[in-house]
Amino acid sequence: WGHSELTTTVEVRPDGYITFPLVGDEYASGKTTSQLATDIQKNLSNYVVEPSVTVMVKDFRKINVQVLGEVRNPGQYTLRASNRLMDAVGLAGGPTRDANLSNITLTRIVSDETTILSLDLEQYIKEGLLNFNPILEDKDAIYISPVGDVLILGSIKAPGSYKVQADMDI
């Protein structure tokens, strides 16, 4: 209070730090707003008599992901950093009727290294297993494959090509 030159909007950098006037770099990632305010206030006390610091979150970090394949509206979506696979599928309009939710590919690029995860979203839906509904990261690409086709021939009543659907057996 009373130091308008210290009123500022800062962004948390990818390395988890912010830069604040007089204080310099302060590690912010993983701290609550009150913890960060206390740390800044302590460092400001070297320059300001009885500093009073308030930290407010203006906007949460956003990530961009691609959702492709058997969803109603494939494309690129912006989500909050804590969103999961199911959130992205929901934003893309949900799966189509031909979606194979037990065969989802998540492609993730971290430091020029590509990781491909094969996920079974049905395991999350049926059993609530969170490892099949991971937290997404920036630039993730999600591909929901279609169910396959099967060709039935021979001495049967209706030979032809049929869509394989979930929970079908012979």
Side-chain angles (χ1 to χ4, degrees), residues 17-18 20-47 51 53-55:
Y17 284 87
I18 63 167
F20 193 82
L22 299 178
V23 173
D25 288 346
E26 180 71 39
Y27 193 70
S29 186
K31 293 181 181 179
T32 65
T33 54
S34 59
Q35 289 171 330
L36 184 58
T38 300
D39 291 349
I40 293 172
Q41 189 167 310
K42 185 169 42 170
N43 290 329
L44 269 179
S45 65
N46 297 328
Y47 307 99
V53 176
T54 303
V55 174

Side-chain angles (χ1 to χ4, degrees), residues 12 18-19 35 38 59 78 82 102 134 138-140 144 151 154 156 170:
V12 180
I18 63 167
T19 301
Q35 289 171 330
T38 300
D59 195 16
T78 301
S82 60
S102 61
D138 194 35
K139 300 177 187 162
D140 279 353
I144 300 179
L151 184 60
I156 59 170
I170 217 67

Side-chain angles (χ1 to χ4, degrees), residues 1 21 31 43 66 79 84 93 98 102 109 116 122 140 142:
W1 299 105
K31 293 181 181 179
N43 290 329
Q66 279 190 319
L79 300 139
R84 294 181 174 272
D98 293 335
S102 61
I109 300 172
I116 297 176
E122 287 202 22
D140 279 353
I142 301 158

